[in-house]
């Protein structure tokens, strides 16, 4: 999934994260500068403040975590690195990056980080495939590699898919830098961390013993087409969708045309009714 445009800038504001319980170019891996210093803030919070450099005021001195960034957008990786990778301030040391599934497995295996920030939609099979191939590393009792999904998608099936695959949490890319650092340390400790709205998806999914029915129409769509479908159904303009998904307006138009064709719909109004009837909005 290499769309035309890549994201720029640092991580944006979010509604925060919540923790639950304790339990067990672009193609190359890169080393991160910095050494262990003050750690990240402890305790999950709900944050509405603008994104900025993580505030070390509430950090735990001496904490340190090694992190790998997995995302197919180079500029987004650069933004996250700039936001959280100031090791002396945050305690986060970015030890590698990857842009697709094969690179991710190679880098994670070579660096053995404590936490991997994992995008859900990646070339080569997506985040779930990375989790599947790294399952022995997650199961290592002495040095487990833990995964925190960091994605633009807030779709229930994406959240549930990576959690079933073994990820310890799921936060959206609108999270603040401060909350992201906090979430990384919580995942390192074995906590489960979710953006507030997404926690409900997981609770609902695991409270039910029945597997969700297969929607053959929805299965015809790619993951990116599903993202565009949801945003169209929520009333977003093409430019707004392009900005949120870090793709071009032309690419959005192409995805909308593909969705309408596959679902045999005529316009965005029919698409909105279709999505609403399936509770996808």
């Amino acid at each position: 999934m290499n769309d035309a445009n890549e994201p720029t800038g640092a991580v944006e504001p979010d509604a925060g994260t919540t923790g639950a319980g304790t339990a067990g170019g672009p193609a190359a891996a890169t080393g991160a500068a910095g050494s262990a210093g003050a750690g990240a803030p402890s305790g999950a919070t709900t944050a509405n403040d603008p994104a900025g450099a993580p505030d070390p005021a509430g950090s735990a001195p001496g904490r340190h975590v090694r992190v790998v960034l997995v995302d197919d957008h180079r500029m987004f990786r650069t933004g996250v690195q700039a936001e959280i990778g100031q090791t002396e301030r945050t305690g986060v040391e970015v030890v590698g990056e990857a842009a697709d599934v094969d690179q991710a497995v190679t880098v994670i295996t070579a660096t053995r980080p404590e936490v991997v920030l994992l995008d859900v939609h990646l070339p080569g099979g997506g985040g779930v495939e990375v989790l599947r191939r790294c399952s022995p590393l997650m199961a290592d009792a002495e040095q487990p590699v833990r995964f925190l999904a960091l994605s633009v998608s807030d779709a229930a099936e994406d959240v549930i898919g990576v959690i079933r695959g073994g990820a310890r949490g799921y936060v959206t890319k609108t999270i603040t830098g401060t909350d992201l650092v906090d979430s990384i340390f919580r995942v390192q400790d074995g906590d489960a961390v979710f953006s507030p709205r997404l926690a409900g998806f997981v609770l609902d999914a695991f409270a039910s013993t029945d597997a969700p029915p297969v929607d053959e129409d929805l299965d015809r769509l790619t993951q990116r087409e599903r993202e565009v479908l949801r945003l169209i159904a929520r009333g977003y303009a093409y430019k707004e969708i392009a900005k949120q998904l870090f793709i071009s307006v032309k690419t959005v138009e192409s995805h909308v045309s593909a969705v309408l064709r596959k679902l045999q719909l005529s316009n965005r109004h029919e698409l909105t009714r279709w999505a609403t009837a399936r509770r996808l909005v």
Side-chain angles (χ1 to χ4, degrees):
M1 171 185 60
N2 285 321
D3 288 310
N5 292 348
E6 290 187 333
T8 60
V11 186
E12 302 172 15
D14 184 31
T17 58
T18 181
T22 299
T30 60
S35 58
S42 59
T45 59
T46 299
N48 295 313
D49 59 307
D55 183 357
S59 62
R63 297 211 64 184
H64 179 258
V65 60
R66 299 169 68 254
V67 171
V68 164
L69 304 178
V70 180
D71 193 290
D72 61 334
H73 296 295
R74 179 180 57 82
M75 290 304 294
F76 182 78
R77 298 197 310 271
T78 301
V80 173
Q81 163 82 341
E83 185 78 11
I84 71 172
Q86 303 173 42
T87 309
E88 292 185 359
R89 293 189 69 198
T90 64
V92 176
E93 179 187 3
V94 179
V95 297
E97 300 180 9
D100 61 32
V101 170
D102 288 340
Q103 294 165 22
V105 174
T106 298
V107 174
I108 293 165
T109 302
T111 60
R112 296 297 293 265
E114 283 87 27
V115 177
V116 177
L117 289 180
L118 179 67
D119 193 11
V120 174
H121 302 142
L122 294 166
V128 172
E129 178 64 13
V130 175
L131 291 164
R132 185 187 70 79
R133 290 168 61 178
C134 290
S135 57
L137 301 179
M138 289 189 282
D140 188 325
E142 294 185 1
Q143 190 183 350
V145 176
R146 295 189 169 104
F147 287 79
L148 174 62
L150 176 63
S151 176
V152 70
S153 172
D154 60 359
E157 65 264 27
D158 287 337
V159 179
I160 294 166
V162 295
I163 297 304
R164 289 191 186 279
R168 296 298 307 160
Y170 194 117
V171 295
T172 60
K173 288 182 177 179
T174 53
I175 191 172
T176 66
T178 302
D179 283 339
L180 182 56
V181 169
D182 177 65
S183 298
I184 290 169
F185 276 105
R186 298 196 68 174
V187 167
Q188 180 192 28
D189 290 340
D191 287 354
V193 181
F194 301 91
S195 294
R197 178 173 176 268
L198 308 185
F201 295 156
V202 179
L203 293 173
D204 291 344
F206 288 92
S208 173
T209 56
D210 299 325
V214 175
D215 189 325
E216 293 183 359
D217 289 332
L218 191 60
D219 281 351
R220 294 191 186 100
L221 306 182
T222 66
Q223 290 289 350
R224 180 63 90 188
E225 288 168 353
R226 295 183 192 188
E227 292 174 351
V228 172
L229 164 66
R230 287 188 181 85
L231 294 174
I232 285 288
R234 292 173 184 173
Y236 283 71
Y238 284 6
K239 287 184 179 179
E240 294 172 323
I241 296 173
K243 181 178 180 181
Q244 181 153 343
L245 298 182
F246 309 114
I247 59 180
S248 69
V249 173
K250 184 176 181 180
T251 301
V252 173
E253 292 172 350
S254 297
H255 286 316
V256 172
S257 296
V259 170
L260 292 175
R261 183 182 69 254
K262 291 179 180 181
L263 300 181
Q264 299 182 10
L265 301 173
S266 301
N267 53 55
R268 65 180 297 163
H269 300 296
E270 290 184 4
L271 187 152
T272 298
R273 288 196 296 270
W274 187 93
T276 301
R278 286 162 174 78
R279 302 177 69 180
L280 299 175
V281 181

